[in-house]
Amino acid sequence: MSYGTSIGVKLGLNVRLAPLIAFLAVACDCGNAPLATLERASGDVERDYAASVEDWEAADSGATFRLGDGLRTSSEASARLRLVDGTNLDLEEETVIRFRLDGDEEQGQLEVVSGEIVVESEGALDIAVSMGAIRIERGSRARVRADQSLEVLVGQAIIERGGERRVVGEGNRQPLVGPTLAPLEPLEPLPSPPLAPVELDDEEDAGTDDEDAGEEDAGDEDAGEESAPTGPAAPRPVALGPATADLALANGSNLVIHAPSVPVRVAVDASACQGNAVLKAGRRRSRSEDPEVRLSLPSGSHRWELLCDDSSIASGRVRVLRDAGRRRMPRVPPRTVIDVDGRPYRVVYQNQLPEVTIRWPGAPGSGPYSLTAQRGGRSVEREAAQPRFSFRSGQLRDGTHTIRVQAASGERSPATRLMIRFDNAAPTASVTAPENGAFGPGAAVEVAGTAAPGWSVRIGGQALELDDQFRFTTQAAAPAGRDSLVIRLTHPSRGTHIYLRRTS
């Protein structure tokens, strides 16, 4: 018998776990105001509403969620929600969640009906459970499963019970509750530092963000123990990296890589190093016996650095997304409704700026009403007979807008901030050919797909022409010395996205 997991949403960071259902607190003493915003959706992501439960429809970035609403991801899909207090929730594939109201506590709950989510808080997150107390440390990430378990992916969590303090390090899984209250299970000993870079499988590294792992800290593994060995630590051996790579990274590059599977194997030219060359990203390190160094990177954001005799000679950033590149380009802009109630709002869009409706619930007096939206030194002004204003896509630009509405009587709404930003994880292309793994190194293959407006497409040194529907098609040769065909998309202000198609 399985038990779903619920996360109670109450505007503070008090989190509690009930005997049979887990609750992570985040705030909801706010009427029916939005509790969360969908910041990113990859693959088939759907939502429903409290008034029409199980009537699922496509969910776009920027969508907001209130009590009773639900969100689900299908196979090979994922999504990110940002709660009103800043906590990020990443939904893995085949996951269903729903915002509910706890009548006894009069607070919101985010129920994990099935699947799993990854929780990342901007501050330390406290969880009170029947077996004690858990603190997920600042900058850490933890996976909460519907089968009621907690797994620390990055950083650490601390469990306190009966005066005992114990550290749960990265990679440790702790059951939370079961059909009956069980005693605290002994935690497995924390693993010793790895001697070589570890390639995790897709399930283990999904949603992992190595950028948050930070630099190596020899004391992390011993945190919370009564005593720790003293003296200088022995140097860690650095193992050879992968024998081949999907693509090469250039010094100073900042890329988003869409890969049909992870990890992604990257290479950096180390021919300028006459000494010992080591490529590192977070805690991952590798060396090589030839002029380039290769390293496997899981899903997440990484800052990489090439060291030559411990001196940095090249660096860059890369974000790896498990994305097959099959998702259709959005044909309509996202739509959102915000209330001028003094709360901050964030709208994330993909390829087209959002359509925004601004309203003033309970506005005093009668019209006309005037609206002012200020962004930097510029402002947009509107007047309407009713306290409701609609903006078409593009009429409110990127950035933070401070919005006020004033009634004819002179009364003013609270100043409300609206942040509009581009989702850098949004799909910039839909690649229809070639099929992943359907061609060999050096083979001639057909490349076809559709790019988002404003993006240019290149394969190797070849720039591809786009038709009036932004489609591209060409014949290209798969690289003989790499594991993937690289389709590069660039935008003058959005950066560079790479789509991979792996050789057989």
Side-chain angles (χ1 to χ4, degrees):
M1 181 174 182
S2 62
Y3 292 82
T5 299
S6 295
I7 295 188
V9 186
K10 192 170 179 162
L11 272 183
L13 283 179
N14 262 348
V15 183
R16 70 181 180 86
L17 296 178
L20 295 181
I21 304 181
F23 299 97
L24 240 130
V26 198
C28 167
D29 48 350
C30 47
N32 200 27
L35 300 175
T37 300
L38 181 60
E39 289 203 331
R40 182 176 72 240
S42 177
D44 188 7
V45 179
E46 297 178 309
R47 55 100 35 92
D48 66 1
Y49 295 88
S52 53
V53 174
E54 298 295 335
D55 186 9
W56 299 99
E57 62 181 52
D60 295 323
S61 292
T64 57
F65 293 80
R66 293 172 168 81
L67 286 176
D69 295 348
L71 181 67
R72 73 177 182 183
T73 58
S74 64
S75 176
E76 299 185 356
S78 63
R80 165 167 283 199
L81 280 171
R82 187 172 181 87
L83 303 184
V84 290
D85 73 329
T87 298
N88 290 322
L89 300 178
D90 290 326
L91 279 70
E92 304 296 324
E93 62 180 355
E94 297 182 342
T95 295
V96 178
I97 65 171
R98 185 169 303 281
F99 291 93
R100 298 191 184 278
L101 181 65
D102 181 350
D104 295 334
E105 298 289 336
E106 295 186 351
Q107 71 178 29
Q109 299 172 359
L110 178 61
E111 180 184 2
V112 185
V113 180
S114 62
E116 58 193 62
I117 63 173
V118 175
V119 183
E120 177 184 14
S121 178
E122 295 180 351
L125 192 62
D126 292 319
I127 306 176
V129 297
S130 58
M131 65 181 184
I134 298 174
R135 163 163 286 210
I136 300 174
E137 295 288 23
R138 179 184 180 89
S140 298
R141 292 167 62 89
R143 176 180 283 126
V144 180
R145 302 178 187 270
D147 66 1
Q148 310 226 73
S149 64
L150 172 74
E151 180 180 349
V152 178
L153 301 175
V154 173
Q156 64 182 23
I158 298 174
I159 295 182
E160 295 184 359
R161 177 178 183 264
E164 179 185 5
R165 186 173 184 267
R166 189 184 298 272
V167 175
V168 184
E170 293 182 13
N172 284 273
R173 178 178 178 272
Q174 176 63 47
L176 296 175
V177 289
T180 59
L181 292 178
L184 177 65
E185 296 181 2
L187 298 176
E188 297 179 3
L190 295 174
S192 301
L195 298 181
V198 179
E199 293 188 21
L200 305 178
D201 62 27
D202 291 354
E203 180 181 359
E204 290 175 325
D205 61 43
T208 303
D209 190 339
D210 268 310
E211 184 181 357
D212 293 338
E215 299 300 320
E216 294 180 330
D217 185 345
D220 281 352
E221 286 83 8
D222 298 322
E225 299 295 331
E226 293 183 359
S227 62
T230 59
R236 298 181 180 183
V238 179
L240 289 172
T244 58
D246 293 295
L247 76 163
L249 303 178
N251 185 25
S253 61
N254 189 350
L255 307 176
V256 178
I257 300 175
H258 302 251
S261 61
V262 291
V264 170
R265 297 174 296 278
V266 300
V268 177
D269 182 12
S271 59
C273 179
Q274 301 303 313
N276 296 317
V278 173
L279 181 60
K280 74 167 190 172
R283 291 185 173 89
R284 291 173 170 80
R285 294 172 179 246
S286 68
R287 61 182 177 86
S288 179
E289 296 177 344
D290 53 59
E292 72 174 19
V293 190
R294 294 169 289 273
L295 186 64
S296 292
L297 297 178
S299 300
S301 298
H302 310 274
R303 182 185 181 275
W304 61 267
E305 190 173 17
L306 180 64
L307 304 177
C308 182
D309 289 334
D310 296 327
S311 296
S312 177
I313 61 172
S315 63
R317 304 185 77 88
V318 63
R319 185 175 185 182
V320 177
L321 302 175
R322 186 172 58 182
D323 173 21
R326 296 287 190 181
R327 186 178 173 194
R328 290 185 177 183
M329 296 296 96
R331 296 183 178 274
V332 296
R335 299 178 179 89
T336 190
V337 177
I338 71 167
D339 296 331
V340 282
D341 53 11
R343 296 177 180 274
Y345 290 83
R346 179 184 302 200
V347 177
V348 180
Y349 70 95
Q350 296 188 346
N351 300 310
Q352 300 182 62
L353 283 158
E355 295 179 357
V356 180
T357 297
I358 300 171
R359 61 189 186 184
W360 187 6
S366 59
Y369 298 88
S370 58
L371 175 146
T372 302
Q374 293 183 324
R375 179 178 65 94
R378 300 185 178 184
S379 65
V380 175
E381 297 181 356
R382 291 283 184 88
E383 189 170 293
Q386 301 297 324
R388 183 183 181 94
F389 304 83
S390 296
F391 293 85
R392 297 192 306 274
S393 174
Q395 290 184 323
L396 291 178
R397 308 297 300 179
D398 293 70
T400 300
H401 304 259
T402 301
I403 302 169
R404 290 181 175 87
V405 179
Q406 181 171 315
S409 62
E411 295 181 77
R412 306 176 71 189
S413 72
T416 300
R417 289 188 298 115
L418 169 62
M419 179 179 174
I420 300 176
R421 70 177 181 86
F422 174 71
D423 180 6
N424 200 40
T428 54
S430 177
V431 181
T432 56
E435 292 289 338
N436 190 55
F439 56 94
V445 294
E446 178 187 6
V447 181
T450 304
W455 293 79
S456 59
V457 185
R458 300 183 71 90
I459 298 180
Q462 177 186 1
L464 306 187
E465 292 187 5
L466 305 181
D467 64 16
D468 56 1
Q469 299 296 315
F470 304 101
R471 294 171 299 195
F472 57 87
T473 181
T474 189
Q475 291 286 326
R482 297 290 182 210
D483 295 337
S484 293
L485 175 72
V486 173
I487 304 170
R488 180 182 296 262
L489 282 88
T490 57
H491 189 281
S493 61
R494 306 300 180 203
T496 301
H497 284 231
I498 299 293
Y499 286 77
L500 300 182
R501 283 295 180 266
R502 289 202 167 100
T503 58
S504 57

